[in-house]
Amino acid sequence: DGGITQSPKYLFRKEGQNVTLSCEQNLNHDAMYWYRQDPGQGLRLIYYSQIVNDFQKGDIAEGYSVSREKKESFPLTVTSAQKNPTAFYLCASSGEAQYFGPGTRLLVL
Amino acid sequence: GQQLNQSPQSMFIQEGEDVSMNCTSSSIFNTWLWYKQDPGEGPVLLIALYKAGELTSNGRLTAQFGITRKDSFLNISASIPSDVGIYFCAGLPRNNAGNMLTFGGGTRLMVKP
């Protein structure tokens, strides 16, 4: 079954803690993206990667970091520098069109 | 970043009615995409449009790539309760080096049985 998987579905972060959100795709897409969605809002681009070992900041990269060591994987770390991390995080990949994963909801304890 | 102008922001309709929503921009786009998002889920691609004037259907959904390449619309015929959700348009601007989409603000559709 081809698609994009994100884990976990829900993630809780304590103050001062870094947490990592997983994103895997088996669509053989070169490009991958991370978006943040706040309640009732649209999508804002955090980071994107056009190819393995390369990534670029999006519109709201501060407090986040990524890596792209494998074509299939694009993990996002929410660092302690991100002061308002509570949101719904969506990973996507694109070939001819862009497809989204099921999302991870991050909550702060 | 830039957002597309998507309207209406929300619609509350009776089951069986037809629905129309659209996205406009001052810039030219090479691709238009329409997504549906259910609560707590990721957006699902409904229709992709790649050519100006293109009219594409997917079941009860029909979308068109505007001839000026600056707009697109999505129609849903004979709405049913499971059509409830948020519909997003997205476009790939001309001269976009990073394949990055520009998104509309979404249309929240509510259907009364």
Side-chain angles (χ1 to χ4, degrees):
Chain A
D1 224 27
I4 303 171
T5 57
Q6 290 185 242
S7 62
K9 182 76 172 169
Y10 297 94
L11 186 57
F12 296 90
R13 192 190 93 162
K14 294 180 183 176
E15 290 284 340
Q17 189 181 40
N18 293 354
V19 291
T20 298
L21 284 61
S22 166
C23 177
E24 303 279 330
Q25 55 101 358
N26 61 5
L27 300 168
N28 201 32
H29 288 163
D30 285 316
M32 297 186 73
Y33 311 81
W34 274 105
Y35 296 92
R36 171 180 171 139
Q37 187 177 36
D38 291 287
Q41 303 293 314
L43 301 171
R44 292 187 290 170
L45 183 65
I46 305 172
Y47 267 98
Y48 65 100
S49 169
Q50 296 294 309
I51 200 164
V52 174
N53 291 323
D54 187 55
F55 49 83
Q56 306 293 331
K57 292 181 179 180
D59 299 320
I60 55 165
E62 187 174 345
Y64 301 98
S65 66
V66 293
S67 62
R68 188 82 188 279
E69 296 175 4
K70 297 188 299 183
K71 186 175 186 177
E72 306 79 23
S73 179
F74 190 39
L76 173 75
T77 297
V78 184
T79 75
S80 56
Q82 173 49 247
K83 297 306 178 191
N84 184 22
T86 298
F88 191 50
Y89 291 87
L90 287 160
C91 177
S93 70
S94 70
E96 210 172 48
Q98 194 166 121
Y99 297 89
F100 288 86
T104 293
R105 185 164 299 281
L106 177 60
L107 300 161
V108 177
L109 293 176
Chain B
Q2 175 197 3
Q3 256 204 348
L4 295 169
N5 299 313
Q6 185 171 350
S7 65
Q9 283 188 326
S10 62
M11 304 179 74
F12 190 31
I13 62 167
Q14 192 77 36
E15 182 178 0
E17 286 183 358
D18 296 344
V19 172
S20 185
M21 60 191 79
N22 68 82
C23 271
T24 61
S25 172
S26 57
S27 305
I28 288 175
F29 284 77
N30 286 341
T31 299
W32 286 94
L33 306 170
W34 285 93
Y35 295 89
K36 182 190 179 210
Q37 186 176 26
D38 291 326
E41 302 292 332
V44 173
L45 182 65
L46 299 173
I47 293 179
L49 303 159
Y50 300 105
K51 214 162 57 168
E54 182 180 353
L55 184 72
T56 297
S57 292
N58 178 7
R60 292 178 295 106
L61 278 60
T62 302
Q64 185 159 29
F65 192 141
I67 199 73
T68 64
R69 297 170 67 189
K70 294 181 180 181
D71 62 347
S72 177
F73 72 75
L74 174 71
N75 285 347
I76 305 173
S77 62
S79 59
I80 59 178
S82 63
D83 290 334
V84 164
I86 301 176
Y87 292 80
F88 287 101
C89 64
L92 189 63
R94 186 176 62 174
N95 301 327
N96 184 292
N99 261 357
M100 284 178 292
L101 295 178
T102 300
F103 288 90
T107 295
R108 182 180 297 272
L109 179 63
M110 292 160 279
V111 179
K112 186 177 177 184

